Amino acid sequence: MKLFLKRDTSADNISFMIYDNMGLPKYSVSAEIGNWMKMVVFSGEGEQRSVIRYNKLMLDYFTILCQKRFYVLIPNIKNGFAFTIYGSTYKFNGKPGDDFYMSAPDGTVVMTHKRCRSSGMSGFEITINDEAHEMFLLSAAICADMYLDVSEKQKAVPLPT
């Protein structure tokens, strides 16, 4: 299944829209920002499907609550870009930038993520090969996009001298 993730700035609290391969809205992601960031993934019918939190304590990490399961993703940028994932046997692989994938313990790719540009639209193409875990895989892709976006913004802010 292919999904397309696009940042949405048209509404105050919606940060992403996720479209199916026909271009129809499938999910929306709203965000609340305070001392932490909370993102909620809603289905097209308005049903809450996943809750993602970006936390900064002694380290940056994400928590995902979906399908009655809890996951923790800790960014690991030593060897490219990856997350150490607690709560799942999937492995996250990638390099700094826009392309990454997740694989099962046997090496089977269960999700890919890449930047795509088409006529007037820029976003990300997410291919999910394990539909039973679609919401977790989609949530992990959102975490990666948000982490990379936050990291780029932190690099762009000049340090006080």
Side-chain angles (χ1 to χ4, degrees):
M1 160 190 331
K2 283 192 182 187
L3 299 173
F4 298 92
L5 177 69
K6 184 175 190 279
R7 191 169 297 272
D8 184 4
T9 57
S10 63
D12 290 338
N13 65 341
I14 294 179
S15 56
F16 291 105
M17 286 298 296
I18 295 117
Y19 301 91
D20 63 15
N21 60 354
M22 302 295 287
L24 300 173
K26 184 167 183 175
Y27 301 109
S28 64
V29 182
S30 68
E32 295 176 22
I33 299 173
N35 293 334
W36 41 261
M37 182 183 302
K38 174 183 172 185
M39 295 170 281
V40 180
V41 180
F42 293 97
S43 68
E45 295 80 35
E47 177 186 341
Q48 182 176 308
R49 300 293 307 271
S50 177
V51 176
I52 304 164
R53 290 187 187 269
Y54 175 59
N55 305 285
K56 287 182 75 111
L57 290 174
M58 295 184 74
L59 55 97
D60 296 345
Y61 67 97
F62 290 90
T63 58
I64 298 172
L65 178 61
C66 68
Q67 297 173 316
K68 299 181 182 178
R69 297 207 47 193
F70 184 77
Y71 306 90
V72 177
L73 284 68
I74 300 174
N76 177 355
I77 55 173
K78 286 184 180 178
N79 301 321
F81 174 66
F83 281 115
T84 301
I85 301 173
Y86 296 95
S88 174
T89 57
Y90 290 149
K91 185 176 178 182
F92 187 102
N93 299 289
K95 50 189 170 189
D98 304 323
D99 298 336
F100 56 82
Y101 67 95
M102 290 180 70
S103 59
D106 65 1
T108 305
V109 174
V110 293
M111 188 261 298
T112 60
H113 173 284
K114 66 181 179 178
R115 182 171 291 281
C116 67
R117 289 181 181 88
S118 61
S119 57
M121 186 182 121
S122 177
F124 301 97
E125 178 182 299
I126 301 167
T127 303
I128 296 176
N129 300 322
D130 181 0
E131 291 186 25
H133 296 102
E134 171 187 2
M135 193 48 53
F136 167 65
L137 295 168
L138 180 59
S139 297
I142 292 168
C143 290
D145 291 333
M146 290 306 299
Y147 183 76
L148 292 171
D149 187 47
V150 167
S151 297
E152 286 301 313
K153 286 181 181 173
Q154 288 174 348
K155 289 178 191 174
V157 175
L159 296 174
T161 54

